[in-house]
Amino acid sequence: MVFNRMQGSRPGSDSSFRFAQGDNPIMSTILETVAAERAPVRAGDDYVFATDCLYFDASSVAIRVAVSPRGERLTVSDDGNAIDRVIAMERRVPGYERTAKAVAARNGIQANAGVLFANPSCAEEIAVYISIVANASKELADRLKDASIARSYRDLTNEMIGRLDNWFPGIATRRNANILGVSNKVHSFDLEAILENQKTILIDEIRPRNVNTILAASFDVGRRSDIDLSMWAVYDPAIANDIGGPNLTLLASVARTISIDELTPDLLLRRA
């Protein structure tokens, strides 16, 4: 695979590449091997490579390379970008997990929750697997687009604001509320509402690709003992199959998970 050169950079001269030399030796080896023409973009402890593969919308297939803290595990992943490209078109992608596993198997890699990935045995294999995963991600995006169904998602957050205003006149609500978790990480919730008894209700809208984000946020913030919290995850019943029954069950372990059409003021107060 050939990597497009970053504008204004020379091979091996980008500042992110020089900075990487202080990282663990495995990542340094990866960068020396792969970044001959284009330095990657740093994303936390990982690096993201923009490849010459293009999705159907002409965007570059970006591949994330991660090294575990002790260097015993290497991961090359498309980060779920193939699915995200289709969802960005406001289209549903039913059966995406099954399709992703089929594409992964055909390319000799793995898939989990629609994310394509591989675990190379050594740094020298990274460049090859970047090419394999990138091409597989492009193939997956094309297949999902062809099988996708047009849908305009309901704005459940806006619906919830309207319902709360009707159920509890004068209730204070706030969109995109940032709440600190016990890990000292800040998490964003779609909606925060404060009842008269000062009980805080946090509500997230479930979509097919944000289950893990809601799970992490609800688990972390839900462990706080200094705030009187009631945590909810609501979904449109029309896309329940797209979200997946196992995902809804998993979310129910950290938040009250319910179809928005089944939510009532009495239920909200009882659970609150």
Side-chain angles (χ1 to χ4, degrees), residues 156 160 189-190 201-207 210-211 214-215 218 230-236 243 247-248 250-260 263 268:
L156 301 192
M160 280 302 308
F189 291 81
D190 291 328
I201 301 175
L202 297 177
I203 302 173
D204 266 323
E205 175 183 344
I206 309 172
R207 293 282 182 85
N210 70 349
V211 171
I214 296 175
L215 188 68
S218 299
S230 177
M231 311 187 73
W232 294 79
V234 299
Y235 61 92
D236 176 0
I243 297 169
N247 284 331
L248 293 174
L250 186 60
L251 284 172
S253 67
V254 295
R256 281 97 171 175
T257 303
I258 189 172
S259 159
I260 190 171
L263 189 59
L268 196 63

Side-chain angles (χ1 to χ4, degrees), residues 70-218:
R70 289 180 295 187
E72 74 279 9
R73 186 177 182 83
L74 307 176
T75 303
V76 177
S77 165
D78 81 336
D79 244 5
N81 290 323
I83 299 168
D84 289 342
R85 295 269 50 80
V86 182
I87 291 178
M89 301 169 60
E90 294 192 349
R91 299 184 70 85
R92 292 174 53 203
V93 283
Y96 68 88
E97 293 189 20
R98 181 175 61 254
T99 304
K101 288 181 178 179
V103 170
R106 200 180 74 78
N107 287 275
I109 55 177
Q110 302 175 66
N112 182 33
V115 177
L116 301 178
F117 68 96
N119 298 118
S121 59
C122 61
E124 288 73 18
E125 293 181 351
I126 292 288
V128 172
Y129 276 105
I130 287 177
S131 177
I132 292 173
V133 174
N135 282 284
S137 187
K138 170 181 167 55
E139 176 188 344
L140 177 59
D142 288 340
R143 292 180 58 173
L144 291 177
K145 178 178 71 69
D146 291 342
S148 64
I149 303 170
R151 169 178 292 282
S152 295
Y153 286 105
R154 290 167 64 180
D155 185 348
L156 301 192
T157 301
N158 192 52
E159 286 188 34
M160 280 302 308
I161 291 175
R163 294 186 187 204
L164 290 171
D165 285 342
N166 183 52
W167 294 339
F168 312 108
I171 190 172
T173 58
R174 178 166 62 115
R175 283 179 176 266
N176 302 317
N178 292 324
I179 308 294
L180 189 69
V182 297
S183 68
N184 288 323
K185 180 178 180 180
V186 175
H187 301 274
S188 180
F189 291 81
D190 291 328
L191 184 63
E192 176 189 42
I194 310 295
L195 295 174
E196 287 185 354
N197 62 3
Q198 298 303 303
K199 183 82 171 187
T200 298
I201 301 175
L202 297 177
I203 302 173
D204 266 323
E205 175 183 344
I206 309 172
R207 293 282 182 85
R209 286 282 297 152
N210 70 349
V211 171
N212 288 337
T213 300
I214 296 175
L215 188 68
S218 299

